[in-house]
Amino acid sequence: MPDAAPETFYLTTPIYYVNDAPHIGHAYTTVAADVVTRWHRQRQEPVWFLTGTDEHGQKVMRTAEANGVTPQEWADRLVESSWKPVLHTLDALNDDFIRTTQPRHTERVQAFIQDLYTKGEIYAGSYEGPYCVGCEEYKLPGDLIDGTGEYEGQKLCPIHSKPVEMLSEQNYFFKMSAYQDRLLALYEAHPEFVQPASARNEVLAFVKGGLQDLSISRNTFDWGIPIPWDTTHVLYVWFDALLNYATAVGLDSDDPEQQAKFAATWPASVHLVGKDILRFHAVIWPAMLMAAGLPLPKTVFAHGWLLVGGEKMSKSKLTGIAPSQIIDHFGSDAFRYYFMRAIAFGQDGSFSWEDLSARYNAELANGFGNLASRVAAMVGKYYGGVLPQAGPAGPAEQALEQVAAQAVEAAEKAIDALAIHEAINAVWTLVDATNLYLTEQEPWKVAKLDEERDGTAPDATWIQEGRLATVLVTAAEALRSLAVLLHPITPKAAQALWESLGAEAPLGALAVQPVDGAARFGVLPAGTTVTKGASLFPRLEDPVVEGV
């Protein structure tokens, strides 16, 4: 029998609201998704990376009205002018971009909801309670905070710090309370379903506190997907939005190709979400799938918030920073590196321009970029830019290769745990060890001593047998390993380094180099042309950036 097809690594970001342009909080999630999926591609795995936009609901409708256009016109404008372009700005290699106003989504959502209604999972009822338009969610009284200042005497959403609205509606309800025990059994049997542990504990406590049935329709506005059996109602935006992860890969499609896509891709491997939308993904979403009889995703991973001045990144609180404000100065590689390394993935983290600048200079310009420049310059100076034949590896060379092997092993484990910061820390041990190796081996002194010994410049015999060749080839091999390991994180710099090392000619494209190949030295053949190009991370003067 033929071998079974390898399992697809299917990763999603949340789909982002189009009520405003993206800020670095959105970019943080997207970059994390891109780093992880690039890594899995370099493991030679089939990968599907989905992102997109959430375009229905009262929040989008009100924003459109405030701008004097229809909700569809507003969504179209924001998607084309902001949300799709930012993917290019971030160097994100998503495989698909789903919009919840696309027929491939709306039609499949209607089929899904009709099936649940036919099965008796949905019933008519009424609901009254406090509603946050920003969250598009009814709030429990215990979730609210007391207002101060201009909001004195009012109850506020703790996330948006704005008053909630008291709503009373005739709605359709999903029997979510019937899935409480099944959800608890899921969390018990599969602790990996909600990660990290702090997120899992939060979800467990919430569900153990008792689940209510979920209001899943609205009849006070019409910007949404109509309920098939009662078009006076539109579907609750979260019930609509969560289904994107399945509709995008072919759920309920009549197209045989889409059906095959769904069979090959579903269930999702990882849903990356911000912790403020954890309950939707870890409670409502699996209950919906259970009701439909569909397989559950393997992991919902809730990362922390980006904080500016101690507050969550948010346009409504004037802490939102556009990715371009940072990338126009530092470049996309530095943006990706900084946010993935400086913040422990899964925890809150603070952003400051000063910290980014300090890390850029110390770690990228001086640590990594200068290392690549030094090695290329010495190969150019001593060997005319052609990689020599190395002599026998000694203890120092063997130790450096061992650092590379350990870095690969540790980084692989960290990626599987979605500890992206730990993966980069592991890779950086090779940067530091290679810099130390050059400091200790002093190849510039080796060259000078040989010249003094012979009274001449190095000849061909010296090139073949000399210590200098071994040192520089070993350093070049370490850089080759770093190009492979850093490609998911800093793709432009890694590609430039790959080209500088002349690796593409004998080894092929960087994007398809297997990760485990970075654990071994002795791959670059003698005679490979090494060139010293532009600095990977040139030193920068800090401008004054208003608001950052």
Side-chain angles (χ1 to χ4, degrees), residues 215-270:
S215 171
I216 63 162
S217 72
R218 299 287 181 269
N219 63 4
T220 54
F221 60 90
D222 61 1
W223 180 237
I225 298 175
I227 298 292
W229 63 89
D230 185 351
T231 55
T232 64
H233 288 248
V234 295
L235 190 60
Y236 172 42
V237 64
W238 271 105
F239 218 80
D240 155 9
L242 287 164
L243 281 162
N244 91 89
Y245 306 124
T247 61
V249 292
L251 174 69
D252 288 330
S253 174
D254 295 329
D255 183 343
E257 288 188 8
Q258 284 290 296
Q259 292 171 353
K261 177 69 177 177
F262 187 74
T265 309
W266 191 260
S269 305
V270 178

Side-chain angles (χ1 to χ4, degrees), residues 16-59:
Y16 305 113
Y17 275 127
V18 293
N19 60 306
D20 210 334
H23 55 61
I24 61 173
H26 305 110
Y28 178 63
T29 315
T30 301
V31 167
D34 189 61
V35 168
V36 173
T37 49
R38 281 178 184 262
W39 194 283
H40 280 266
R41 286 190 187 100
Q42 287 188 214
R43 286 179 175 173
Q44 319 302 306
E45 297 174 13
V47 168
W48 198 254
F49 168 19
L50 174 71
T51 190
T53 45
D54 185 358
E55 302 178 13
H56 291 129
Q58 197 170 18
K59 179 163 57 175

Side-chain angles (χ1 to χ4, degrees), residues 179-190:
Y179 292 91
Q180 178 171 331
D181 290 343
R182 286 184 62 181
L183 288 169
L184 291 173
L186 167 68
Y187 308 144
E188 180 67 26
H190 296 281

Side-chain angles (χ1 to χ4, degrees), residues 141-456:
D143 292 337
L144 304 178
I145 59 175
D146 293 324
T148 58
E150 64 175 312
Y151 298 134
E152 184 75 34
Q154 301 182 67
K155 292 293 185 178
L156 310 185
C157 167
I159 295 174
H160 293 90
S161 299
K162 290 188 176 180
V164 293
E165 301 177 14
M166 289 301 298
L167 296 184
S168 177
E169 291 184 293
Q170 294 295 312
N171 300 124
Y172 288 97
F173 287 77
F174 168 54
K175 295 179 180 178
M176 193 166 70
S177 61
Y179 292 91
Q180 178 171 331
D181 290 343
R182 286 184 62 181
L183 288 169
L184 291 173
L186 167 68
Y187 308 144
E188 180 67 26
H190 296 281
E192 75 282 1
F193 180 76
V194 183
Q195 290 294 321
S198 57
R200 181 173 178 269
N201 292 337
E202 176 192 326
V203 169
L204 271 170
F206 176 75
V207 176
K208 285 179 179 178
L211 292 182
Q212 298 179 354
D213 289 346
L214 179 69
S215 171
I216 63 162
S217 72
R218 299 287 181 269
N219 63 4
T220 54
F221 60 90
D222 61 1
W223 180 237
I225 298 175
I227 298 292
W229 63 89
D230 185 351
T231 55
T232 64
H233 288 248
V234 295
L235 190 60
Y236 172 42
V237 64
W238 271 105
F239 218 80
D240 155 9
L242 287 164
L243 281 162
N244 91 89
Y245 306 124
T247 61
V249 292
L251 174 69
D252 288 330
S253 174
D254 295 329
D255 183 343
E257 288 188 8
Q258 284 290 296
Q259 292 171 353
K261 177 69 177 177
F262 187 74
T265 309
W266 191 260
S269 305
V270 178
H271 294 314
L272 284 185
V273 301
K275 67 179 184 180
D276 51 329
I277 56 174
L278 172 63
R279 292 181 188 177
F280 298 103
H281 289 81
V283 181
I284 298 175
W285 179 223
M288 290 166 60
L289 294 170
M290 288 174 179
L294 291 170
L296 304 183
K298 296 172 184 175
T299 298
V300 174
F301 190 97
H303 64 71
W305 288 340
L306 285 188
L307 306 176
V308 174
E311 291 200 63
K312 176 181 179 285
M313 187 75 55
S314 167
K315 287 285 178 65
S316 64
K317 293 185 178 180
L318 302 180
T319 56
I321 301 167
S324 59
Q325 288 180 264
I326 297 171
I327 291 173
D328 286 349
H329 180 66
F330 289 100
S332 59
D333 278 350
F335 182 99
R336 293 165 64 100
Y337 171 85
Y338 173 77
F339 285 106
M340 292 299 100
R341 189 179 189 190
I343 298 169
F345 199 62
Q347 300 177 21
D348 293 348
S350 295
F351 161 74
S352 75
W353 186 275
E354 293 78 13
D355 186 43
L356 170 54
S357 181
R359 283 180 174 269
Y360 176 93
N361 288 318
E363 297 165 16
L364 294 177
N366 296 336
F368 177 41
N370 188 50
L371 171 63
S373 295
R374 291 165 69 200
V375 173
M378 285 188 284
V379 174
K381 178 178 181 179
Y382 300 123
Y383 296 99
V386 178
L387 204 65
Q389 180 67 50
E397 290 70 49
Q398 293 167 358
L400 188 60
E401 184 173 8
Q402 184 61 26
V403 171
Q406 291 170 345
V408 171
E409 182 180 5
E412 289 271 55
K413 290 179 179 177
I415 289 293
D416 284 338
L418 294 174
I420 303 172
H421 58 293
E422 292 182 6
I424 300 176
N425 290 342
V427 173
W428 223 253
T429 62
L430 183 56
V431 175
D432 294 338
T434 307
N435 274 313
L436 180 61
Y437 171 77
L438 289 177
T439 298
E440 292 178 342
Q441 301 308 312
E442 299 180 309
W444 48 90
K445 287 189 177 180
V446 174
K448 184 177 181 181
L449 287 172
D450 193 87
E451 290 179 12
E452 290 174 351
R453 183 189 67 201
D454 292 344
T456 61

